[in-house]
Amino acid sequence: MSDSPKLTHLNAAGQPAMVDVGAKQPTRRVARARSRVVLGPEIMALVQEGDLPTRKGPVFQTAILAGIMGAKRTSELIPLCHPLGLDNCRVTIEVDGPDAVLIECTATVTGKTGVEMEALTGASVAALTIYDMCKALSHDILIQETRLVSKTGGKQDFHHAG
């Protein structure tokens, strides 16, 4: 048997399969993911003084709520993800340069499997919500650099060097 990495969601016959975590011991697991949304200088000028009000509510506050809701529903969106009762989920949005915002989603669980997908989903849904709420001002909005920043707990920890 090879020591090279293997895809975990395939069974011996190469068919899709949920990972069996039944024998694992629960541990505290934390994952942090980030998305960057380039809004452009015109939209950023509107949000420099605070949140941008819309008929759906303040853009950033609404995106934070959407990101948390998305993280909580990850197993309904991503095939083979285990449903997790998150201990905590936090989404933050901050200005990143003259034309962009940075979204970070941190998901925490005490369980048998990690929360990377929950953190990534939370950051992604928050980014999509910002796009949806600002698209009336511009369709040149760019969602970029969605990535896992760090994870702890489980087999091995991970920290992005950048």
Side-chain angles (χ1 to χ4, degrees):
M1 181 143 93
S2 170
D3 287 337
S4 63
K6 295 176 182 53
L7 294 175
T8 57
H9 289 89
L10 296 177
N11 64 18
Q15 297 299 309
M18 191 174 216
V19 174
D20 184 355
V21 297
K24 290 184 173 185
Q25 292 300 311
T27 59
R28 182 163 176 82
R29 297 158 185 264
V30 180
R32 187 167 50 105
R34 179 182 297 154
S35 286
R36 186 169 188 266
V37 181
V38 179
L39 295 168
E42 295 82 19
I43 296 174
M44 284 303 294
L46 297 173
V47 300
Q48 288 298 332
E49 297 302 317
D51 210 340
L52 179 63
T54 71
R55 287 185 180 159
K56 291 182 180 182
V59 173
F60 295 159
Q61 290 180 26
T62 304
I64 288 168
L65 291 172
I68 293 167
M69 292 170 65
K72 289 169 56 173
R73 298 188 76 161
T74 299
S75 67
E76 297 174 33
L77 301 169
I78 310 293
L80 306 176
C81 279
H82 292 85
L84 299 177
L86 296 178
D87 295 338
N88 193 16
C89 183
R90 184 173 38 100
V91 175
T92 60
I93 302 172
E94 63 184 43
V95 173
D96 184 38
D99 64 350
V101 294
L102 200 60
I103 301 162
E104 281 199 359
C105 178
T106 304
T108 307
V109 71
T110 302
K112 297 179 177 190
T113 188
V115 289
E116 297 99 309
M117 294 310 301
E118 286 72 14
L120 286 161
T121 300
S124 298
V125 170
L128 289 167
T129 301
I130 290 172
Y131 182 96
D132 179 52
M133 294 183 77
C134 293
K135 70 181 185 254
L137 301 172
S138 173
H139 285 285
D140 289 326
I141 298 166
L142 178 64
I143 298 171
Q144 61 181 197
E145 298 175 12
T146 298
R147 66 167 308 131
L148 182 66
V149 175
S150 65
K151 79 168 202 76
T152 59
K155 263 190 237 181
Q156 62 184 0
D157 290 349
F158 168 81
H159 297 281
H160 175 62

